[in-house]
Amino acid sequence: MTSRSASPSQSTETGAASRTRAVVFHPFTDAGLAAARSPEARLDEACGLAAAIDLEVADAEAFLVARPRPSTWIGAGKLAQIKDRLEALKKADGARPEVAIVDSPLSPAQHRNLEKAWDLKVLDRTALILEIFGARAQTAEGRLQVDLAHLTYQRSRLVRSWTHLERQRGGAGFLGGPGERQIESDRRALADKIDRLKAKIEQVRRTRTLQRAKRKRAPHPVVALVGYTNAGKSTLFNRLTRASVKAQDLLFATLDPTMRAVDLSSGQRIVMSDTVGFISDLPTQLVAAFRATLEEVLEADVIVHVRDAAHPETEAQRADVLAVLAELGVTAGDDRPVIEILNKIDRLSAEDRDDAAFVARRSLDRAKGDVEDPYRVAASAATGEGIDALESVIDALVTADREAFDIDIPASDGAARAWLYAHGDVVAEGPDGRLTVRLSPKTRGQFEKTHPSARVALSEDGARAVREAASGPERGAL
C-alpha cells in the first residue's frame, strides 16, 4: 500500500480552538498513480479546499484502495483503522474531529455508510466545493447559482429515512396500493424548488445577453480572465484595472464575476472580466449552474488564461482548465485569440524564470494563438513584472482588424473629433484638421452612422505609419 500522512495544519489565528476540526483523506486506485497529479498533490489541494472554509485540518492522509467497495468505497480494514485514528485524536487533543473529508466522489449509500461507521459528518469532494461556493457567493446571482447546484446535488442524495411518514394504503378499502412516501414528497418539493431557481437563472441569462448586446454596440473589446483557482486572476485583474477585487492566497477567493473598463497605454479601452476559478473534477452541477456566468468567456474577444507557473502541478492545472473550456465550447477550432500568462515568475528560480521568458518570446513568433497553442507572456501580477508586455499583446490583438483612414471633419464638428479620440487610435493630425485614425470595421460603421458629415477614406500613408509603429518586439511578433 502506498500512503502518506500529512502533518496537521497550524492555525494562523489565536482563536483556533473555536474552528471546526476535520480530517482529510484522499483514497486513490492504481489508476490514480498514473494520473497527471500525484496523490500527495491531490491531498494538498484537498487540505487547501478545507482551509478555504476555515476548517482546521487535524490529520490528513492519501492511501491506496486496491478494490473499491460499493458500500463504503474504502476497505473494512482501512475503515476500522481510520476510526481508531479518530479516537486517538480525541485522546490527544481532547476533542474528536467533527468532519471527515473524502477527496473522491461518493455515492449516496457510501456517504451514509461512512457517516455511520465513523460517527461524524462526511463531505466528498463535490460537497466540499459546494460548501465553499455557498460560503463565498456574495451577489444575488451567485447565490442563485450556488443554490441550484446544492439542490441538484441534494436530490441525488435523498434516501428513505421517514418510513413512519409513509401512508400504508391509498384509495378506498383494503385493495388500495401504498400512498405517497415521504421520499417522493421530498423529491417533488426539491424538483419544484429547482424549477423556480432555473427560471430565475434563465432571467439572469437573458439579462446578461442584453448586457452583452449593449456592449457589442459600444466599440470596447472584452477580455476574459480564466484559469485554475488561486492562479492569480484577481491579482492580475486588480493590477490591470486598479480595482480592489478580493485577492487572497486561497482557493476560490473569487466567485462572483467582476467587469471593469481598462485604458491600455495606447489609449485603447477594453472591458476586463474576472471569472470564477476552475479546478480538477469540478462538479458538473457547478458547471451547469455557473454557465450563465461563464458565457462571458464565450462572448469575449480575447481570452487570457492565467497560469501559476510556480506551482508544481502547473501542467496538470492547465489541462484541467482546457477541459472546462472545451466543455464550454472553447476549443482549438475557436477563432478568438488566447493569451497564456505564465504568472508568479517572481517565485521561480533564476533558471526557471529565464526558461519562462524564452518560451514566451518564442510563442509570440511561432504560436497559432488558439487555446491549444496560445501566445505566452511571462509575468508577475504581484510585482508588475511583464504587465507592460501583456498590455502590448492585448492591444495588438484587439486592434488587429483595424485599418487606417484619413478623415476630414468640419471645423464646427468637435463632437466627431472627440468621438474618434475616444473610440479610435489616432495616428496623426494634419494642419488642415484631417485625422489619420485606425478603426475596426464595426467602429467605422458606427462613426459614419453617427457623424455622416465627415468624409472617410482609406489612408495608405496612415497604414504605413501603423506598420512602422507596430514593428516593436511584442506587436511585430503578432
Side-chain angles (χ1 to χ4, degrees):
M1 175 181 294
T2 302
S3 64
R4 179 182 69 85
S5 293
S7 59
S9 63
Q10 299 297 321
S11 171
T12 59
E13 302 178 10
T14 56
S18 61
R19 297 168 65 193
T20 301
R21 300 176 72 239
V23 288
V24 179
F25 303 114
H26 175 66
F28 60 92
T29 61
D30 289 330
L33 292 173
R37 280 185 178 81
S38 67
E40 289 77 11
R42 290 293 301 263
L43 179 65
D44 288 341
E45 183 175 86
C47 290
L49 290 171
I53 50 173
D54 204 31
L55 292 177
E56 180 188 357
V57 179
D59 197 10
E61 182 184 4
F63 53 85
L64 176 68
V65 178
R67 289 186 303 171
R69 297 203 170 191
S71 59
T72 57
W73 174 254
I74 300 168
K78 192 64 182 179
L79 205 65
Q81 182 185 342
I82 290 175
K83 187 172 183 178
D84 292 340
R85 288 177 67 175
L86 293 172
E87 294 303 322
L89 288 171
K90 179 179 179 180
K91 292 179 181 179
D93 302 330
R96 202 169 184 266
E98 301 171 59
V99 179
I101 294 169
V102 180
D103 186 37
S104 177
L106 297 175
S107 70
Q110 290 168 347
H111 201 149
R112 183 176 67 252
N113 292 336
L114 288 177
E115 287 189 336
K116 288 181 178 179
W118 294 336
D119 191 26
L120 79 176
K121 182 178 179 63
V122 172
L123 297 177
D124 66 358
R125 183 178 180 84
T126 300
L128 178 59
I129 294 175
L130 288 173
E131 287 288 333
I132 296 171
F133 276 52
R136 295 284 177 76
Q138 298 295 322
T139 65
E141 174 189 345
R143 288 193 293 271
L144 279 176
Q145 295 180 116
V146 170
D147 287 346
L148 175 59
H150 266 292
L151 290 176
T152 304
Y153 178 75
Q154 289 172 16
R155 183 168 63 176
S156 69
R157 322 303 274 190
L158 281 180
V159 294
R160 183 182 175 188
S161 303
W162 297 279
T163 55
H164 63 286
L165 295 179
E166 176 183 343
R167 291 206 302 264
Q168 298 299 318
R169 287 286 179 260
F174 295 101
L175 298 180
E180 181 180 60
R181 296 173 178 171
Q182 183 65 34
I183 189 173
E184 293 164 348
S185 176
D186 291 343
R187 282 175 178 155
R188 189 179 66 253
L190 282 177
D192 291 343
K193 290 181 181 179
I194 288 172
D195 288 342
R196 288 195 295 271
L197 283 174
K198 284 183 176 179
K200 292 180 180 179
I201 289 177
E202 177 61 22
Q203 180 59 46
V204 169
R205 191 194 66 79
R206 286 196 295 266
T207 300
R208 283 192 170 274
T209 300
L210 292 174
Q211 290 172 342
R212 283 193 293 268
K214 184 177 180 181
R215 285 201 300 271
K216 284 183 178 179
R217 290 194 294 271
H220 300 318
V222 176
V223 177
L225 299 180
V226 301
Y228 207 80
T229 180
N230 205 33
K233 294 184 301 301
S234 294
T235 303
L236 179 62
F237 183 84
N238 289 340
R239 172 73 63 176
L240 291 170
T241 66
R242 296 172 178 80
S244 56
V245 171
K246 181 180 180 181
Q248 289 181 282
D249 186 13
L250 199 66
L251 299 183
F252 292 120
T254 301
L255 287 185
D256 298 303
T258 306
M259 306 189 79
R260 294 284 190 278
V262 180
D263 291 322
L264 301 176
S265 55
S266 67
Q268 170 65 40
R269 172 162 288 191
I270 63 174
V271 176
M272 185 72 68
S273 174
D274 187 18
T275 60
V276 62
F278 301 159
I279 196 169
S280 61
D281 300 329
L282 186 67
T284 55
Q285 297 96 332
L286 285 176
V287 175
F290 278 80
R291 187 170 293 276
T293 301
L294 295 174
E295 282 177 357
E296 293 293 345
V297 178
L298 299 178
E299 297 296 329
D301 297 282
V302 177
I303 297 173
V304 177
H305 175 191
V306 184
R307 286 179 58 185
D308 182 352
H311 197 283
E313 305 288 337
T314 182
E315 291 297 333
Q317 290 184 352
R318 177 178 185 269
D320 289 327
V321 171
L322 296 190
V324 176
L325 288 176
E327 189 172 346
L328 293 172
V330 180
T331 60
D334 198 289
D335 60 356
R336 280 167 302 179
V338 178
I339 304 172
E340 190 173 274
I341 308 301
L342 304 177
N343 192 29
K344 303 186 183 181
I345 60 171
D346 55 303
R347 300 184 182 183
L348 295 176
S349 65
E351 182 180 356
D352 288 342
R353 183 182 294 204
D354 289 342
D355 289 343
F358 173 77
V359 168
R361 286 194 302 270
R362 186 173 181 178
S363 76
L364 295 179
D365 291 327
R366 303 185 180 185
K368 297 178 182 177
D370 59 15
V371 69
E372 295 286 352
D373 186 20
Y375 303 117
R376 290 186 170 92
V377 177
S380 170
T383 66
E385 182 180 356
I387 298 302
D388 289 343
L390 170 61
E391 287 192 359
S392 295
V393 175
I394 293 175
D395 197 7
L397 291 175
V398 298
T399 61
D401 64 341
R402 291 189 175 188
E403 293 183 288
F405 298 93
D406 287 331
I407 304 178
D408 293 315
I409 304 173
S412 60
D413 196 353
R417 185 177 301 273
W419 195 98
L420 288 172
Y421 270 96
H423 301 105
D425 183 7
V426 179
V427 178
E429 182 172 357
D432 57 352
R434 171 180 289 186
L435 295 179
T436 301
V437 188
R438 292 180 69 207
L439 298 173
S440 68
K442 181 176 71 172
T443 311
R444 177 191 177 184
Q446 291 171 333
F447 176 75
E448 290 180 325
K449 182 177 180 179
T450 55
H451 299 90
S453 62
R455 290 186 300 166
V456 181
L458 279 173
S459 169
E460 179 54 36
D461 291 340
R464 188 180 304 110
V466 168
R467 288 195 295 269
E468 292 173 357
S471 61
E474 288 84 20
R475 288 191 179 189
L478 297 176

